[in-house]
């Protein structure tokens, strides 16, 4: 009597995370924000840094690494301080995009950006960083949007 070889064990299902940031203070995506990803196997376990990325011009960060098998909790850290004091946010606040106001002198645009940034709460952000910790199940995808303003934020599990 012959026996068939056993099937190799199946790879565990991949669990993944993506995020995006909307700056609700200006109604635009928050681009070029640093995002780092860490994971742990459960409460009290040590966090393991897995890598990071930056949001693109549409505020999205879809290239975070897959989570290792056995991950039970995930932490996303958003470097919001650099974003709030950046010229990119000031341009968004002022509505100034390349080509929007031909004929303006660069110094005029820079001054308007700084005025708009101050008016929108720029300079010293109340939240210099945002950390979100959540629980995951194997094989699922987790999209975690961050709605951000200079004085508050909200987060939810997206789709």
């Amino acid at each position: 009597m012959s026996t068939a070889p056993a099937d190799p064990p199946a790879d565990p299902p991949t669990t993944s995370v993506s995020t995006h940031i909307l700056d609700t203070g200006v109604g635009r995506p928050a681009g070029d924000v640093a995002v780092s990803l860490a994971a742990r196997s459960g409460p009290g376990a040590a966090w393991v840094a897995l890598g990071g990325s930056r949001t693109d011009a549409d505020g999205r960060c879809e290239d975070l690494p897959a989570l290792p098998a056995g991950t039970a909790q995930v932490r996303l850290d958003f470097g919001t301080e650099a974003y709030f004091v950046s010229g990119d946010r000031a341009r968004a606040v002022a509505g100034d995009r390349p080509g929007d106001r031909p004929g303006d002198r660069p110094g005029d645009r820079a001054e308007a950006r700084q005025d708009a940034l101050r008016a929108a709460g720029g300079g010293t952000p109340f939240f210099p960083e945002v950390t979100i910790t959540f629980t995951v199940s194997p094989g699922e995808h987790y999209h975690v949007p961050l709605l951000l303003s200079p004085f508050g934020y909200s987060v939810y599990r997206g789709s």
Side-chain angles (χ1 to χ4, degrees), residues 31-126:
D32 200 32
V33 176
V35 179
S36 62
L37 175 70
R40 66 182 179 184
S41 58
W47 287 105
V48 176
L50 300 177
S53 188
R54 299 187 82 76
T55 57
D56 62 18
D58 197 33
R60 297 190 177 278
C61 187
E62 299 182 25
D63 59 350
L64 294 169
L67 303 176
T71 296
Q73 295 180 340
V74 173
R75 184 175 66 201
L76 286 171
D77 292 302
F78 299 89
T80 55
E81 182 171 34
Y83 168 72
F84 279 121
V85 298
S86 74
D88 290 341
R89 183 167 197 276
R91 280 189 295 281
V93 170
D96 185 18
R97 296 181 137 184
D100 278 356
R101 295 191 288 186
D104 282 355
R105 294 187 339 239
D108 293 343
R109 288 192 305 267
E111 185 176 322
R113 284 193 295 270
Q114 289 308 316
D115 289 345
L117 181 62
R118 282 188 290 279
T124 303
F126 187 67

Side-chain angles (χ1 to χ4, degrees), residues 131-152:
T131 299
I132 307 299
T133 303
F134 54 98
T135 303
V136 297
S137 296
E140 293 195 34
H141 175 72
Y142 294 85
H143 184 68
V144 184
L146 175 64
L147 306 177
L148 183 64
S149 80
F151 303 106

